[in-house]
Amino acid sequence: MQVFIVPTPEAVAEKAADKFIETAKEHAPFFVMGVATGSSPVALYQAIARRAKAGEVDLRHASAFALDEYVGLPEGHPESYHAVIDRTVTKVLDLDPQLVHVPNGFATDLKQAARDYEAAISAAGGIDCQIVGIGANGHIGFNEPFSSLASRTRDKTLMPGTRADNARFFDNDIEQVPSECLTQGLGTIMDAKQVLMVAQGENKAEAIKNMIEGPVCSRCPASILQYHPNVVVVIDEAAASKIENIELIRYTE
Ligand code: GLP
């Protein structure tokens, strides 16, 4: 695991963009990216977009797979991850919308939708670089604590803490936050050739510490990434503030 600790949230976006672009170039032109919702990667998408416009990377033939989607929102809801990905990724990176995939949380048969999603990722040749954030409880995608470490895309129930964290997108009303979702599994995420995590701020510090220094254990789902051979973590000082062995863990190039 390469753990880059940088001074500010802005520096997180720039450093992560460097690493993303390196990987995108290796897999050009048919680069397959995995994308995440949440506030953590928003500045990263903007940094990549600026650099794509400057000609550093060409994403015209790139495809994208989102990590997850709520279940229970009406289609077209502005906080559905279909809408969020369209706003923060597809439009910002000027991707071909036909090549951007989000799990179908609107499907009547969620088990079939989950199988279809896995099949679509396989048909694309797998994900070259999966961008992820981390939940305050250590979740990645919507793989909440005690998810199977080998899980595949499936429907899941969200924990009250995660719904409370996401209430800010729903008029601060937890009742409006769906309690079900469809998410790539931890096994699905582990199949990505590279995982690129970004995290900022003190409220992620405990989860980051557990992911990097804790036991590999479903209590902190992100800790499964300790078994992945190509993980790049880019965090600011605040998110790194609870790491105990910081000088052993800090990665520099
Ligand atoms: C959300 C998403 C995750 C995201 C996480 C953190 O619920 N499903 O993909 O990484 O929680 O969100 P944020 O970046 O807003 O803190």
Side-chain angles (χ1 to χ4, degrees):
M1 202 180 270
Q2 296 179 352
V3 181
F4 294 92
I5 302 168
V6 297
T8 62
E10 295 72 32
V12 169
E14 291 306 323
K15 183 71 194 175
D18 290 345
K19 305 306 291 182
F20 177 91
I21 288 169
E22 260 173 39
T23 305
K25 283 177 163 168
E26 275 168 31
H27 296 278
F30 300 112
F31 175 53
V32 183
M33 63 179 111
V35 291
T37 55
S39 39
S40 307
V42 169
L44 166 60
Y45 300 135
Q46 291 165 352
I48 297 166
R50 270 196 310 277
R51 294 166 64 164
K53 283 200 183 86
E56 268 187 63
V57 64
D58 180 357
L59 297 174
R60 274 176 305 175
H61 302 291
S63 52
F65 287 88
L67 282 170
D68 45 17
E69 175 59 288
Y70 290 115
V71 169
L73 292 179
E75 260 184 279
H77 189 291
E79 293 306 326
S80 72
Y81 284 173
H82 275 77
V84 172
I85 291 290
D86 187 57
R87 223 166 36 233
T88 62
V89 179
T90 312
K91 291 209 164 66
V92 171
L93 296 179
D94 202 16
L95 300 178
D96 177 350
Q98 305 272 33
L99 300 179
V100 179
H101 311 266
V102 179
N104 185 5
F106 312 115
T108 40
D109 186 345
L110 292 171
K111 307 253 178 278
Q112 186 59 44
R115 284 192 292 272
D116 291 347
Y117 202 64
E118 289 278 335
I121 293 172
S122 297
I127 292 170
D128 298 317
C129 178
Q130 174 66 60
I131 294 171
V132 295
I134 187 168
N137 63 6
H139 75 224
I140 48 177
F142 268 140
N143 294 281
E144 297 280 40
F146 313 114
S147 290
S148 158
L149 296 177
S151 48
R152 311 302 305 185
T153 302
R154 71 218 181 288
D155 49 318
K156 281 288 288 177
T157 302
L158 297 175
M159 293 181 82
T162 298
R163 294 178 67 214
D165 282 349
N166 287 357
R168 67 190 194 280
F169 300 114
F170 293 86
D171 306 325
N172 288 315
D173 176 9
I174 192 171
E175 293 306 319
Q176 291 183 38
V177 185
S179 53
E180 306 294 321
C181 67
L182 198 59
T183 181
Q184 282 191 35
L186 293 168
T188 319
I189 295 169
M190 287 292 285
D191 283 349
K193 295 175 191 98
Q194 180 180 58
V195 178
L196 174 60
M197 175 178 284
V198 285
Q200 311 87 347
E202 173 115 43
N203 72 323
K204 300 295 172 70
E206 187 74 26
I208 289 291
K209 172 198 152 53
N210 291 337
M211 171 181 84
I212 297 172
E213 291 183 307
V216 175
C217 156
S218 63
R219 190 176 288 277
C220 176
S223 65
I224 189 64
L225 296 176
Q226 291 178 34
Y227 276 120
H228 194 291
N230 187 354
V231 177
V232 177
V233 178
V234 188
I235 52 179
D236 66 1
E237 299 280 356
S241 59
K242 293 196 174 157
I243 298 173
E244 285 167 27
N245 300 281
I246 195 150
E247 290 319 322
L248 290 174
I249 282 163
R250 185 191 295 273
Y251 187 85
T252 43
E253 283 176 317

